[in-house]
Amino acid sequence: MVDRRSPDEIKRDNTALRAEVESLRRRLAFFQAAVDALPFPMFWKDANSVYLGANVHQAERAGLSAPEDLVGRSDEDLPASDDDPEARPVDERISETHKVPLRSAAGEVMGEISWYEDITNRESQRHSQALLDERLRQAHKLD
């Protein structure tokens, strides 16, 4: 196939394409900075459970030095993580996992976005409240 555009047209098209690529790079860098600022691990995978991206907290959780080190891998490709009961040390932290399907414009599931929320304080408060309630019941029985 022969390109019939003039050299000036090709140069204009290349300049416009470079500007668009630079704009996309800036937007991607902004997005990465935003998800890295979140205080919890977050990641997104395609429909085959292959990582498409993550924040720094998920990279650290997976034993990697940067979020881009997760891209293109599945969980089986990663070093032992704290999701592996045999590999993790005993930890007092309690996490709740959230998963939301990512859908195309046509509504088809393309993957999922997931994050972990540290609920240790909430669970500790719930436990403390249960203990207090029990003590109050016991105190009323003594009356």
Side-chain angles (χ1 to χ4, degrees):
M1 177 179 231
V2 177
D3 192 343
R4 303 236 184 251
R5 295 177 295 165
S6 72
D8 286 342
E9 289 173 315
I10 293 171
K11 186 175 180 179
R12 268 193 309 274
D13 289 349
N14 284 342
T15 300
L17 184 58
R18 284 189 184 123
E20 183 63 25
V21 167
E22 184 55 34
S23 172
L24 290 172
R25 280 190 184 126
R26 283 193 306 272
R27 290 170 57 194
L28 183 57
F30 185 90
F31 174 77
Q32 188 65 52
V35 297
D36 285 346
L38 297 172
F40 48 81
M42 177 184 177
F43 57 93
W44 46 103
K45 295 179 178 180
D46 68 13
N48 296 314
S49 295
V50 174
Y51 284 92
L52 298 173
N55 68 3
V56 294
H57 303 295
Q58 178 62 17
E60 290 169 2
R61 189 172 199 268
L64 301 171
S65 58
E68 50 274 3
D69 295 337
L70 279 165
V71 175
R73 295 184 182 200
S74 68
D75 288 333
E76 293 79 30
D77 300 328
L78 299 176
S81 71
D82 57 1
D83 287 332
D84 179 358
E86 299 296 318
R88 70 174 169 233
V90 175
D91 189 352
E92 300 284 326
R93 309 303 297 171
I94 302 170
S95 292
E96 184 173 80
T97 303
H98 303 274
K99 295 183 178 190
V100 176
L102 295 174
R103 298 186 182 277
S104 70
E108 298 169 349
V109 174
M110 304 181 319
E112 74 178 20
I113 187 166
S114 303
W115 65 96
Y116 302 102
E117 178 183 3
D118 185 343
I119 60 169
T120 305
N121 291 339
R122 180 177 15 159
E123 291 301 311
S124 177
Q125 289 171 353
R126 188 176 303 171
H127 179 72
S128 295
Q129 184 64 48
L131 289 175
L132 181 59
D133 291 346
E134 181 59 29
R135 287 181 185 154
L136 286 172
R137 276 192 289 279
Q138 294 296 327
H140 284 291
K141 284 182 183 178
L142 295 176
D143 290 344

